[in-house]
Amino acid sequence: MKENREIALAMEEGKRAGRKMALATVVRVKGSAYRREGAKLLIDEEGKMTGVISGGCLEPDVAEVAKQVMADGKPVLKRYDLDEDLVWGLGLGCPGTVDVLIEPVSWSGTNDAGAPPSFDGFAGKEASS
Amino acid sequence: MSVRKENERQDPDRDPFAAWTECLKKERAAVLNTLLAFSPFPGLPTGMRLFVPENGEPLGDLGDEDLNRLVVERAREKLEALYPKSETCRFSLPGGREAEVFVDVNLPPSELMIFGAGHDAIPLVKLAVQAGFKTTVVDPRPAYATEDRFPGARIILADSGLWEERVIIGRRTYVVVMNHHLERDRVAIRLALNSPAPYVGVLGPRSRCQRMLEALEKEGVTFGEEKLTRMYNPVGLDIGAETPEEVAISILSEILAFRKGHAGGFLRGRDSIHQPVRK
């Protein structure tokens, strides 16, 4: 749990420096994955990362999504199907499904109430997997 | 649904996310619940939050009173558990409604308290500090219990007669008794078994430990079944350890396995790595 503290300290530092940030959290894992639910990755507008959410396979894509999240302030719930995903599943990861919630950190904290959710193939997909 | 004002959202007393990050920073036990999906109302904003600290009142709102109540109950259960996991939970509500909430648990670091500052405690403390335990060494001997020998550990230099008042053992404190000294071991066992410690490892063979329990009984100190199930003796996993370094690995591995409810042993051939086999 030292990791959570590091994330909190990095958020505080980012706030002090006035940088935009996004927080990615593993919220659901099915099958095998390097990290479990609760693993966190903080990304700031300069691309600096704190924390680990996978063995390195997901971070580049999450960082891309984070840019969009920081730009429009809307959270994204993204599903990575490591079994089938041709880009990130090149024998790098474990054969599992990982859902990652990527949210803007405006330090005031919560998302803008009323911001419509942006689910990336999330709803109802569970039954088919 | 409450309407938040801009200035309220900066305040950890009013904003669930700010309160949560405060707990992360200060290493306090807390649960942050984040709404992921709510059917049949997919239009509800995700990211609504409800914060539940171990000590204190819930803060925030998931947009539905029934859901709030169930989520707070679940969070309290998690905070009661020894090593709760963060997970996405599905809640069924009246009227056929379903909600998915990510329940994120933050715990303070576990503590490892080692009675005995002998040479075999050195590798155990080193491993424990590396693994992220808040580590404490308790011993009355100033030549042994030094910061030089135990970097990264807190040292309590006190005679066993003072342990009762100087040593605090909580419900997330794992204890290992390894004084190599019958009298001090006995005091340590008595203190640890009468504390909320979930695990009390005792170095040495069963016969020696048994004799100490009998001696305590003669002094009028007995432990019920519930307390004795927390005692682990001989201590450690069965890996054939011999040197102090190997014994330290064996002991710390047992503590890690115990903490997560795993049984130890080989993973070879197992279909699943992360599922506990012991409740």
Side-chain angles (χ1 to χ4, degrees):
Chain A
M1 282 296 155
K2 266 199 301 195
E3 290 179 309
N4 275 351
R5 181 157 195 272
E6 277 161 26
I7 295 280
L9 293 175
M11 275 195 274
E12 205 171 58
E13 192 194 315
K15 176 198 172 195
R16 243 196 318 267
R19 283 196 289 267
K20 279 188 178 172
M21 294 174 279
L23 179 64
T25 308
V26 175
V27 296
R28 186 180 352 230
V29 174
K30 280 197 187 138
S32 305
Y34 188 72
R35 297 297 311 269
R36 308 307 295 179
E37 290 90 341
K40 295 176 185 67
L41 175 71
L42 183 75
I43 302 143
D44 75 12
E45 59 189 355
E46 284 159 20
K48 188 187 165 213
M49 299 201 217
T50 309
V52 176
I53 52 164
S54 76
C57 347
L58 302 183
E59 276 80 355
D61 190 70
V62 168
E64 280 305 308
V65 179
K67 280 185 198 165
Q68 178 207 321
V69 166
M70 285 183 263
D72 64 17
K74 290 176 192 168
V76 170
L77 184 57
K78 179 141 184 173
R79 170 159 293 179
Y80 292 92
D81 198 332
L82 299 172
D83 214 10
E84 291 162 14
D85 194 306
L86 291 174
V87 180
W88 307 110
L90 293 169
L92 298 168
C94 295
T97 303
V98 181
D99 288 344
V100 181
L101 178 65
I102 305 154
E103 312 164 271
V105 179
S106 51
W107 193 255
S108 56
T110 43
N111 312 311
D112 290 335
S118 165
F119 282 175
D120 179 60
F122 171 67
K125 213 185 156 189
E126 202 167 343
S128 63
S129 62
Chain B
M1 200 184 304
S2 61
V3 178
R4 278 171 289 216
K5 298 192 189 86
E6 200 53 43
N7 58 349
E8 288 180 359
R9 296 173 63 199
Q10 304 284 345
D11 183 352
D13 292 335
R14 291 175 185 264
D15 177 63
F17 190 74
W20 164 249
T21 48
E22 194 69 8
C23 280
L24 299 188
K25 202 174 85 182
K26 301 211 166 127
E27 300 184 324
R28 289 192 200 129
V31 175
L32 183 67
N33 304 281
T34 305
L35 187 66
L36 296 184
F38 204 159
S39 67
F41 308 114
L44 269 170
T46 74
M48 295 191 72
R49 300 185 202 267
L50 179 56
F51 166 79
V52 184
E54 184 174 47
N55 302 308
E57 290 303 307
L59 177 68
D61 186 7
L62 297 176
D64 180 278
E65 277 312 311
D66 291 322
L67 181 59
N68 286 345
R69 186 172 42 76
L70 289 173
V71 166
V72 169
E73 265 172 39
R74 177 68 59 93
R76 296 275 181 229
E77 283 168 22
K78 292 254 173 207
L79 289 168
E80 280 297 307
L82 184 58
Y83 199 81
K85 280 184 186 165
S86 299
E87 61 180 338
T88 294
C89 298
R90 188 174 281 246
F91 295 91
S92 296
L93 300 163
R97 294 169 303 154
E98 296 265 331
E100 280 190 339
V101 176
F102 179 57
V103 178
D104 201 359
V105 189
N106 184 63
L107 292 182
S110 305
E111 279 187 84
L112 182 62
M113 184 169 287
I114 297 163
F115 288 87
H119 68 289
D120 55 349
I122 292 173
L124 180 56
V125 167
K126 195 173 164 193
L127 283 181
V129 169
Q130 281 173 350
F133 284 85
K134 273 165 75 182
T135 311
T136 303
V137 179
V138 187
D139 197 296
R141 300 170 297 172
Y144 287 84
T146 65
E147 279 172 26
D148 280 356
R149 278 161 62 82
F150 298 103
R154 181 170 67 111
I155 290 173
I156 300 179
L157 192 65
D159 187 66
S160 54
L162 291 172
W163 288 354
E164 196 115 13
E165 59 183 77
R166 295 274 306 274
V167 177
I168 295 164
I169 301 175
R171 71 185 191 93
R172 293 191 184 96
T173 308
Y174 302 79
V175 175
V176 176
V177 178
M178 48 194 300
N179 290 292
H180 298 277
H181 185 283
L182 280 170
E183 164 70 23
R184 289 201 287 272
D185 273 4
R186 211 163 64 214
V187 177
I189 288 171
R190 191 181 66 205
L191 187 65
L193 286 184
N194 282 327
S195 78
Y199 170 100
V200 181
V202 180
L203 191 80
R206 271 179 71 85
S207 54
R208 179 176 181 273
C209 190
Q210 207 53 46
R211 277 206 306 278
M212 286 191 289
L213 288 179
E214 282 161 16
L216 281 169
E217 206 174 325
K218 276 181 194 148
E219 294 168 19
V221 183
T222 53
F223 307 102
E225 192 61 31
E226 188 273 324
K227 285 181 177 173
L228 286 175
T229 55
R230 291 185 281 135
M231 190 161 91
Y232 283 71
N233 168 265
V235 69
L237 289 187
D238 179 15
I239 58 171
E242 288 192 17
T243 64
E245 288 76 15
E246 290 171 356
V247 170
I249 291 169
S250 161
I251 295 174
L252 195 68
S253 304
E254 177 171 273
I255 292 170
L256 295 177
F258 170 86
R259 189 173 69 168
K260 281 210 179 177
H262 285 238
F266 296 113
L267 283 170
R268 181 178 182 168
R270 286 271 299 277
D271 285 333
S272 155
I273 298 174
H274 297 284
Q275 304 310 315
V277 295
R278 180 174 65 70
K279 269 287 156 196

